[in-house]
Amino acid sequence: MARCDGPIAADIDVAGFSSLVRSEGEAHWRELPWRGIDDDYGVLVSEVMLQQTQVKRVIGYWERFMGMFPTIDALAAADNALVLELWQGLGYNRRALMLKKCAEECAASHDGALPRSYAELIALPGIGPSTAAGVLAFARNEPCVYLETNVRSVFLHHFFPDAPKVPDKHIIPLVERTCPKEDVRGWYYALLDYGAYLKSIMPNPSRRSAAYSRQSRFEGSRRQKRAHIVRIVLANPGIMLQGILDALEDIERKEGRPGVDEREVASIIDDLVSEGFFTREGEGYRA
């Protein structure tokens, strides 16, 4: 397999690479409930849930979420509190609210469906290039450039075996060049499963991507406090600041950390209110 030091997609052996990926993808195939479906909303939910979350954690959440909100209209009409409640445990709660905002816009402006074009998809709340391409590839079987961590790992492993900080602008032409006109869905499934396998047997190739960043420590972080506060308010609608402080203090002490800083907690709550997680009701808060 030819090594690439830059975007020289025309020089690669597409047939040989495609055969290898298809073979490895078949050998390491993962049966997942959102695969092989033509429901672009169901694919969208899976793509959003899979952002920064392991596949095995997503399976049960996706099934429950789709059971509760089987259509875009159902999600658009749901209460934020219920959406957040079903999301608890997946992390990055902002994804849940952005997904709901996306559903609301589709219900209001696109007759309860996702728009057809890539440009319209990425214009929706919470949908970026990878998520939009995932809808095109997996729900509609349309050729596109789908680039996420497992796909990136395959291309880095084969074409940039020793290079550090490889920019996506060098990888994207290779992804575009190798994407088939037919069975796009199967091609990207194979890349995903092969990439997941590579990461299980060697140091993660995606760490050599310029797009890679090591996640900051979660324990005791502001991000963890945000998650705790969301759960506290969900469980106690109308709770006041002091109640949140007391509940969070108890959690922090039990986990062996110092008590909470009232100013930090108030700042986090202000952020959550401004982002649409909470509403103020007098002196209390409700999701």
Side-chain angles (χ1 to χ4, degrees):
M1 191 67 61
R3 170 179 170 166
C4 295
D5 294 313
I8 51 173
D11 295 343
I12 69 172
D13 176 7
V14 173
F17 178 69
S18 298
S19 177
L20 182 150
V21 169
R22 294 278 190 179
S23 176
E24 292 290 345
E26 181 178 354
H28 305 291
W29 168 264
R30 296 172 295 176
E31 190 69 46
L32 301 170
W34 50 82
R35 287 192 169 182
I37 65 173
D38 297 323
D39 176 10
D40 50 14
Y41 165 65
V43 169
L44 172 65
V45 173
S46 72
E47 287 295 304
V48 173
M49 286 186 170
L50 287 163
Q51 295 167 6
Q52 298 177 291
T53 306
Q54 292 180 335
V55 169
K56 63 183 179 181
R57 288 182 59 201
V58 169
I59 294 172
Y61 282 91
W62 183 85
E63 292 172 331
R64 287 191 294 274
F65 198 91
M66 292 299 296
M68 182 66 72
F69 312 118
T71 66
I72 285 175
D73 286 336
L75 179 58
D79 290 336
N80 281 2
L82 181 56
V83 176
L84 286 169
E85 183 179 335
L86 261 66
W87 202 271
Q88 293 310 293
L90 269 179
Y92 298 97
N93 291 305
R94 187 181 287 108
R95 293 179 297 171
L97 287 190
M98 295 305 291
L99 184 58
K100 186 177 186 308
K101 289 179 181 178
C102 175
E104 290 170 348
E105 185 165 326
C106 289
S109 304
H110 299 284
D111 297 320
L114 287 171
R116 292 300 307 177
S117 74
Y118 175 84
E120 290 176 301
L121 285 170
I122 62 172
L124 291 169
I127 297 187
S130 176
T131 303
V135 171
L136 296 180
F138 301 126
R140 302 174 184 172
N141 219 21
E142 296 179 9
C144 59
V145 174
Y146 177 68
L147 185 60
E148 60 77 73
T149 181
N150 285 339
V151 174
R152 194 179 277 112
S153 291
V154 174
F155 284 89
L156 287 167
H157 175 68
H158 283 281
F159 300 110
F160 305 90
D162 305 310
K165 297 188 180 302
V166 180
D168 281 351
K169 68 180 182 180
H170 288 178
I171 301 173
I172 286 172
L174 301 173
V175 179
E176 188 173 28
R177 176 80 171 87
T178 55
C179 179
K181 294 182 179 179
E182 298 180 351
D183 191 26
V184 177
R185 172 190 286 170
W187 169 245
Y188 281 118
Y189 288 159
L191 278 168
L192 287 169
D193 292 345
Y194 180 30
Y197 170 69
L198 287 175
K199 287 160 68 176
S200 74
I201 62 170
M202 64 177 62
N204 185 353
S206 69
R207 292 176 182 169
R208 292 188 287 100
S209 163
Y212 177 80
S213 61
R214 186 178 295 277
Q215 199 171 80
S216 60
R217 179 180 173 85
F218 182 67
E219 294 298 320
S221 67
R222 184 180 176 94
R223 186 159 54 93
Q224 187 183 48
K225 291 182 179 72
R226 277 176 59 102
H228 285 320
I229 291 170
V230 169
R231 285 194 286 272
I232 290 166
V233 175
L234 281 172
N236 303 276
I239 189 171
M240 292 189 289
L241 174 59
Q242 190 58 53
I244 296 172
L245 285 167
D246 291 343
L248 187 58
E249 177 90 14
D250 186 54
I251 291 169
E252 293 292 293
R253 296 290 188 187
K254 287 180 178 177
E255 294 181 355
R257 290 188 291 271
V260 297
D261 182 302
E262 182 174 344
R263 288 174 299 180
E264 181 185 29
V265 173
S267 170
I268 292 171
I269 293 173
D270 286 344
D271 287 348
L272 291 169
V273 170
S274 68
E275 292 167 19
F277 283 87
F278 302 155
T279 57
R280 288 191 176 93
E281 295 185 351
E283 296 184 0
Y285 298 90
R286 185 182 298 270

